[in-house]
């Protein structure tokens, strides 16, 4: 699914936020109701869930998106190729902000998603990818300690490879924390990054566990793709490949 607005009552600044359900799990989850139990609506943690950087989308210059509603420009519903494209320049200062997601069937139970995100303007474009609970490993990059993202976000432990090249990947091995899967079932996802001229690596994001009356929290791993430069024009390209059992994805 693809959400492409960023305003209105009870809304998040989450335009072009991509979601994905596969093999019994929500693999690109939305954070949900704000964690107001950690200091109230205007506290850093209370505001965090509504921030653009808390979602699976691209952040421009560290800022939250402006008010805006996107429009659908592509809609494909015939398997084995299904897809959607939406654009929403109003969310990005009237500059290009467009995402295309294509779901491609391999067989009756396997598929992959090709994701193309085009963004213009500003001096820093940062794409975040967060998934279900579990361990995240990477291959093809050599990330080192980097400056935190800042901008009052609930993020930490940034590890980036400034010389990352197209083709590196991250792989989640999921923890079925809420016992949603059949016994002994295992699910994972491989994410391949094909973007050129971008730093790549990992970070962590803070989340509250359970409902808005609970006090338990957790830091979850995320992937980061980061481009810096004057008057940027970026095309982020990636592939998501969920898998089960001992498979490793595409």
């Amino acid at each position: 699914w693809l959400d492409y607005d960023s305003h209105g009552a009870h809304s998040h600044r989450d335009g072009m936020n991509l979601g994905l359900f596969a093999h019994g799990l929500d693999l690109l989850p939305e954070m949900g109701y704000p964690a107001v139990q950690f200091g109230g609506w205007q506290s850093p943690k209370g505001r965090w869930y509504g921030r653009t950087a808390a979602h699976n989308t691209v952040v421009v210059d560290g800022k939250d998106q402006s008010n805006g509603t996107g429009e659908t420009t592509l809609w494909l519903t015939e398997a084995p190729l299904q897809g959607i494209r939406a654009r929403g320049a109003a969310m990005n200062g009237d500059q290009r902000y467009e995402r295309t997601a294509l779901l491609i069937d391999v067989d009756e139970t396997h598929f992959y998603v090709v994701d193309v995100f085009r963004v213009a303007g500003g001096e820093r474009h940062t794409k975040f990818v967060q998934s279900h609970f579990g361990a995240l490993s990477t291959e093809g990059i050599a990330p080192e300690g980097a400056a935190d993202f800042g901008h009052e976000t609930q993020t930490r432990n940034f590890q980036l490879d400034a010389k990352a090249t197209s083709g590196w990947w991250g792989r989640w091995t999921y923890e079925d924390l809420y016992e949603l899967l059949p016994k002994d079932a295992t699910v994972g996802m491989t994410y391949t990054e094909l973007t050129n001229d971008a730093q790549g690596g990992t970070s962590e994001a803070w989340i509250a566990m359970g409902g808005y009356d609970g006090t338990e929290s957790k830091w979850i791993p995320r992937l980061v793709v980061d481009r810096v430069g004057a008057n940027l024009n970026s095309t982020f390209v990636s592939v998501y490949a969920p898998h089960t059992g001992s498979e490793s994805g595409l």
Side-chain angles (χ1 to χ4, degrees), residues 39-68:
W41 286 94
Q42 297 306 314
S43 66
K45 289 183 170 64
R47 295 179 61 240
W48 165 234
Y49 279 24
R51 303 288 304 277
T52 302
H55 296 85
N56 289 308
T57 189
V58 172
V59 182
V60 178
D61 292 340
K63 301 176 182 178
D64 288 336
Q65 296 162 352
S66 303
N67 290 348

mmCIF file of all heavy atoms in Angstrom, residues 39-68:
data_model
loop_
_atom_site.group_PDB
_atom_site.id
_atom_site.type_symbol
_atom_site.label_atom_id
_atom_site.label_comp_id
_atom_site.label_asym_id
_atom_site.label_seq_id
_atom_site.Cartn_x
_atom_site.Cartn_y
_atom_site.Cartn_z
ATOM 1 N N GLY A 39 5.110 11.789 28.057
ATOM 2 C CA GLY A 39 5.296 13.230 28.217
ATOM 3 C C GLY A 39 4.247 14.099 27.558
ATOM 4 O O GLY A 39 4.377 15.334 27.593
ATOM 5 N N GLY A 40 3.249 13.499 26.922
ATOM 6 C CA GLY A 40 2.184 14.310 26.339
ATOM 7 C C GLY A 40 2.344 14.527 24.845
ATOM 8 O O GLY A 40 3.338 14.149 24.235
ATOM 9 N N TRP A 41 1.340 15.170 24.251
ATOM 10 C CA TRP A 41 1.285 15.342 22.799
ATOM 11 C C TRP A 41 2.456 16.144 22.242
ATOM 12 O O TRP A 41 2.929 15.873 21.142
ATOM 13 C CB TRP A 41 -0.027 16.033 22.407
ATOM 14 C CG TRP A 41 -1.210 15.139 22.496
ATOM 15 C CD1 TRP A 41 -2.072 15.002 23.557
ATOM 16 C CD2 TRP A 41 -1.663 14.226 21.506
ATOM 17 N NE1 TRP A 41 -3.031 14.060 23.285
ATOM 18 C CE2 TRP A 41 -2.810 13.575 22.025
ATOM 19 C CE3 TRP A 41 -1.220 13.892 20.235
ATOM 20 C CZ2 TRP A 41 -3.507 12.606 21.310
ATOM 21 C CZ3 TRP A 41 -1.927 12.936 19.513
ATOM 22 C CH2 TRP A 41 -3.053 12.305 20.043
ATOM 23 N N GLN A 42 2.927 17.138 22.971
ATOM 24 C CA GLN A 42 3.979 18.013 22.448
ATOM 25 C C GLN A 42 5.373 17.625 22.924
ATOM 26 O O GLN A 42 6.342 18.334 22.653
ATOM 27 C CB GLN A 42 3.683 19.473 22.839
ATOM 28 C CG GLN A 42 2.397 20.016 22.229
ATOM 29 C CD GLN A 42 2.365 19.854 20.713
ATOM 30 O OE1 GLN A 42 3.345 20.157 20.019
ATOM 31 N NE2 GLN A 42 1.245 19.386 20.187
ATOM 32 N N SER A 43 5.500 16.504 23.609
ATOM 33 C CA SER A 43 6.816 16.020 24.017
ATOM 34 C C SER A 43 7.548 15.456 22.804
ATOM 35 O O SER A 43 6.919 15.118 21.784
ATOM 36 C CB SER A 43 6.666 14.930 25.083
ATOM 37 O OG SER A 43 6.041 13.784 24.520
ATOM 38 N N PRO A 44 8.872 15.337 22.848
ATOM 39 C CA PRO A 44 9.616 14.772 21.710
ATOM 40 C C PRO A 44 9.113 13.396 21.289
ATOM 41 O O PRO A 44 8.979 13.119 20.088
ATOM 42 C CB PRO A 44 11.055 14.712 22.233
ATOM 43 C CG PRO A 44 11.141 15.830 23.223
ATOM 44 C CD PRO A 44 9.802 15.834 23.904
ATOM 45 N N LYS A 45 8.822 12.525 22.237
ATOM 46 C CA LYS A 45 8.322 11.189 21.897
ATOM 47 C C LYS A 45 6.864 11.236 21.455
ATOM 48 O O LYS A 45 6.436 10.456 20.602
ATOM 49 C CB LYS A 45 8.516 10.229 23.075
ATOM 50 C CG LYS A 45 9.978 9.841 23.321
ATOM 51 C CD LYS A 45 10.090 8.832 24.439
ATOM 52 C CE LYS A 45 11.512 8.250 24.527
ATOM 53 N NZ LYS A 45 12.522 9.256 24.869
ATOM 54 N N GLY A 46 6.085 12.148 22.031
ATOM 55 C CA GLY A 46 4.701 12.283 21.620
ATOM 56 C C GLY A 46 4.562 12.772 20.186
ATOM 57 O O GLY A 46 3.656 12.355 19.458
ATOM 58 N N ARG A 47 5.466 13.631 19.752
ATOM 59 C CA ARG A 47 5.434 14.171 18.392
ATOM 60 C C ARG A 47 6.098 13.243 17.378
ATOM 61 O O ARG A 47 5.841 13.340 16.177
ATOM 62 C CB ARG A 47 6.125 15.540 18.352
ATOM 63 C CG ARG A 47 5.421 16.607 19.152
ATOM 64 C CD ARG A 47 6.174 17.934 19.095
ATOM 65 N NE ARG A 47 6.253 18.414 17.720
ATOM 66 C CZ ARG A 47 7.389 18.633 17.063
ATOM 67 N NH1 ARG A 47 8.561 18.397 17.664
ATOM 68 N NH2 ARG A 47 7.375 19.082 15.834
ATOM 69 N N TRP A 48 6.940 12.354 17.852
ATOM 70 C CA TRP A 48 7.795 11.553 16.969
ATOM 71 C C TRP A 48 7.011 10.749 15.943
ATOM 72 O O TRP A 48 7.339 10.714 14.768
ATOM 73 C CB TRP A 48 8.680 10.641 17.820
ATOM 74 C CG TRP A 48 9.362 9.514 17.117
ATOM 75 C CD1 TRP A 48 9.306 8.188 17.460
ATOM 76 C CD2 TRP A 48 10.223 9.573 15.975
ATOM 77 N NE1 TRP A 48 10.070 7.428 16.608
ATOM 78 C CE2 TRP A 48 10.646 8.259 15.689
ATOM 79 C CE3 TRP A 48 10.683 10.608 15.163
ATOM 80 C CZ2 TRP A 48 11.491 7.950 14.633
ATOM 81 C CZ3 TRP A 48 11.527 10.305 14.102
ATOM 82 C CH2 TRP A 48 11.929 9.003 13.842
ATOM 83 N N TYR A 49 5.934 10.091 16.352
ATOM 84 C CA TYR A 49 5.217 9.207 15.437
ATOM 85 C C TYR A 49 4.628 9.940 14.238
ATOM 86 O O TYR A 49 4.377 9.338 13.192
ATOM 87 C CB TYR A 49 4.096 8.477 16.170
ATOM 88 C CG TYR A 49 4.540 7.265 16.954
ATOM 89 C CD1 TYR A 49 5.849 7.134 17.408
ATOM 90 C CD2 TYR A 49 3.640 6.252 17.263
ATOM 91 C CE1 TYR A 49 6.248 6.038 18.132
ATOM 92 C CE2 TYR A 49 4.031 5.139 17.990
ATOM 93 C CZ TYR A 49 5.341 5.039 18.426
ATOM 94 O OH TYR A 49 5.734 3.942 19.139
ATOM 95 N N GLY A 50 4.382 11.233 14.383
ATOM 96 C CA GLY A 50 3.830 11.998 13.275
ATOM 97 C C GLY A 50 4.873 12.603 12.362
ATOM 98 O O GLY A 50 4.530 13.180 11.315
ATOM 99 N N ARG A 51 6.143 12.482 12.710
ATOM 100 C CA ARG A 51 7.215 13.106 11.935
ATOM 101 C C ARG A 51 7.474 12.342 10.631
ATOM 102 O O ARG A 51 7.326 11.114 10.561
ATOM 103 C CB ARG A 51 8.518 13.140 12.747
ATOM 104 C CG ARG A 51 8.422 13.856 14.104
ATOM 105 C CD ARG A 51 8.294 15.356 13.953
ATOM 106 N NE ARG A 51 9.369 15.924 13.173
ATOM 107 C CZ ARG A 51 10.579 16.254 13.658
ATOM 108 N NH1 ARG A 51 10.864 16.041 14.938
ATOM 109 N NH2 ARG A 51 11.484 16.799 12.877
ATOM 110 N N THR A 52 7.897 13.042 9.613
ATOM 111 C CA THR A 52 8.208 12.390 8.331
ATOM 112 C C THR A 52 9.301 11.347 8.504
ATOM 113 O O THR A 52 9.238 10.254 7.926
ATOM 114 C CB THR A 52 8.630 13.440 7.294
ATOM 115 O OG1 THR A 52 7.566 14.392 7.137
ATOM 116 C CG2 THR A 52 8.923 12.806 5.950
ATOM 117 N N ALA A 53 10.308 11.649 9.307
ATOM 118 C CA ALA A 53 11.440 10.736 9.499
ATOM 119 C C ALA A 53 11.069 9.456 10.224
ATOM 120 O O ALA A 53 11.881 8.527 10.296
ATOM 121 C CB ALA A 53 12.566 11.447 10.256
ATOM 122 N N ALA A 54 9.846 9.359 10.753
ATOM 123 C CA ALA A 54 9.400 8.143 11.427
ATOM 124 C C ALA A 54 8.781 7.145 10.462
ATOM 125 O O ALA A 54 8.297 6.101 10.889
ATOM 126 C CB ALA A 54 8.384 8.491 12.516
ATOM 127 N N HIS A 55 8.822 7.444 9.152
ATOM 128 C CA HIS A 55 8.110 6.630 8.170
ATOM 129 C C HIS A 55 9.029 6.122 7.068
ATOM 130 O O HIS A 55 10.166 6.588 6.912
ATOM 131 C CB HIS A 55 6.968 7.448 7.565
ATOM 132 C CG HIS A 55 5.923 7.833 8.563
ATOM 133 N ND1 HIS A 55 6.044 8.955 9.366
ATOM 134 C CD2 HIS A 55 4.758 7.230 8.917
ATOM 135 C CE1 HIS A 55 4.988 9.032 10.163
ATOM 136 N NE2 HIS A 55 4.194 7.996 9.906
ATOM 137 N N ASN A 56 8.496 5.182 6.288
ATOM 138 C CA ASN A 56 9.235 4.617 5.153
ATOM 139 C C ASN A 56 9.058 5.523 3.932
ATOM 140 O O ASN A 56 8.314 5.218 2.999
ATOM 141 C CB ASN A 56 8.724 3.199 4.850
ATOM 142 C CG ASN A 56 9.143 2.213 5.913
ATOM 143 O OD1 ASN A 56 10.323 2.110 6.248
ATOM 144 N ND2 ASN A 56 8.185 1.487 6.457
ATOM 145 N N THR A 57 9.748 6.637 3.984
ATOM 146 C CA THR A 57 9.647 7.632 2.926
ATOM 147 C C THR A 57 10.967 8.403 2.863
ATOM 148 O O THR A 57 11.948 8.007 3.495
ATOM 149 C CB THR A 57 8.430 8.554 3.171
ATOM 150 O OG1 THR A 57 8.218 9.382 2.034
ATOM 151 C CG2 THR A 57 8.593 9.399 4.415
ATOM 152 N N VAL A 58 11.004 9.495 2.098
ATOM 153 C CA VAL A 58 12.219 10.305 1.956
ATOM 154 C C VAL A 58 12.016 11.638 2.660
ATOM 155 O O VAL A 58 10.997 12.319 2.458
ATOM 156 C CB VAL A 58 12.576 10.526 0.475
ATOM 157 C CG1 VAL A 58 13.721 11.519 0.337
ATOM 158 C CG2 VAL A 58 12.951 9.196 -0.175
ATOM 159 N N VAL A 59 13.005 12.023 3.451
ATOM 160 C CA VAL A 59 12.996 13.286 4.182
ATOM 161 C C VAL A 59 13.916 14.271 3.459
ATOM 162 O O VAL A 59 15.059 13.936 3.133
ATOM 163 C CB VAL A 59 13.481 13.087 5.631
ATOM 164 C CG1 VAL A 59 13.412 14.396 6.403
ATOM 165 C CG2 VAL A 59 12.658 12.002 6.321
ATOM 166 N N VAL A 60 13.425 15.466 3.208
ATOM 167 C CA VAL A 60 14.211 16.491 2.527
ATOM 168 C C VAL A 60 14.707 17.509 3.554
ATOM 169 O O VAL A 60 13.912 18.126 4.274
ATOM 170 C CB VAL A 60 13.375 17.206 1.441
ATOM 171 C CG1 VAL A 60 14.201 18.316 0.775
ATOM 172 C CG2 VAL A 60 12.900 16.200 0.399
ATOM 173 N N ASP A 61 16.023 17.650 3.660
ATOM 174 C CA ASP A 61 16.662 18.613 4.562
ATOM 175 C C ASP A 61 16.238 18.437 6.024
ATOM 176 O O ASP A 61 16.220 19.406 6.795
ATOM 177 C CB ASP A 61 16.379 20.048 4.110
ATOM 178 C CG ASP A 61 17.063 20.401 2.801
ATOM 179 O OD1 ASP A 61 18.032 19.710 2.444
ATOM 180 O OD2 ASP A 61 16.622 21.352 2.133
ATOM 181 N N GLY A 62 15.885 17.206 6.390
ATOM 182 C CA GLY A 62 15.537 16.916 7.772
ATOM 183 C C GLY A 62 14.192 17.442 8.217
ATOM 184 O O GLY A 62 13.842 17.319 9.394
ATOM 185 N N LYS A 63 13.404 18.005 7.316
ATOM 186 C CA LYS A 63 12.159 18.674 7.685
ATOM 187 C C LYS A 63 10.950 17.758 7.505
ATOM 188 O O LYS A 63 10.961 16.838 6.697
ATOM 189 C CB LYS A 63 11.965 19.926 6.817
ATOM 190 C CG LYS A 63 13.082 20.954 6.935
ATOM 191 C CD LYS A 63 12.848 22.096 5.968
ATOM 192 C CE LYS A 63 13.974 23.121 6.022
ATOM 193 N NZ LYS A 63 13.762 24.218 5.038
ATOM 194 N N ASP A 64 9.903 18.074 8.264
ATOM 195 C CA ASP A 64 8.619 17.409 8.033
ATOM 196 C C ASP A 64 7.996 17.945 6.752
ATOM 197 O O ASP A 64 8.229 19.091 6.348
ATOM 198 C CB ASP A 64 7.667 17.663 9.198
ATOM 199 C CG ASP A 64 8.070 16.909 10.452
ATOM 200 O OD1 ASP A 64 8.755 15.881 10.321
ATOM 201 O OD2 ASP A 64 7.708 17.353 11.553
ATOM 202 N N GLN A 65 7.173 17.135 6.123
ATOM 203 C CA GLN A 65 6.503 17.534 4.893
ATOM 204 C C GLN A 65 5.501 18.660 5.140
ATOM 205 O O GLN A 65 4.953 18.799 6.234
ATOM 206 C CB GLN A 65 5.775 16.336 4.286
ATOM 207 C CG GLN A 65 6.687 15.220 3.856
ATOM 208 C CD GLN A 65 5.947 13.907 3.669
ATOM 209 O OE1 GLN A 65 4.768 13.796 4.012
ATOM 210 N NE2 GLN A 65 6.639 12.909 3.148
ATOM 211 N N SER A 66 5.243 19.424 4.083
ATOM 212 C CA SER A 66 4.187 20.429 4.116
ATOM 213 C C SER A 66 2.835 19.753 3.912
ATOM 214 O O SER A 66 2.750 18.588 3.521
ATOM 215 C CB SER A 66 4.412 21.464 3.001
ATOM 216 O OG SER A 66 5.687 22.060 3.118
ATOM 217 N N ASN A 67 1.749 20.514 4.158
ATOM 218 C CA ASN A 67 0.421 19.996 3.858
ATOM 219 C C ASN A 67 0.320 19.688 2.373
ATOM 220 O O ASN A 67 0.761 20.474 1.536
ATOM 221 C CB ASN A 67 -0.653 21.017 4.222
ATOM 222 C CG ASN A 67 -0.801 21.193 5.716
ATOM 223 O OD1 ASN A 67 -0.275 20.411 6.498
ATOM 224 N ND2 ASN A 67 -1.531 22.215 6.121
ATOM 225 N N GLY A 68 -0.258 18.562 2.049
ATOM 226 C CA GLY A 68 -0.418 18.241 0.639
ATOM 227 C C GLY A 68 -1.112 16.917 0.424
ATOM 228 O O GLY A 68 -1.067 16.026 1.283
#
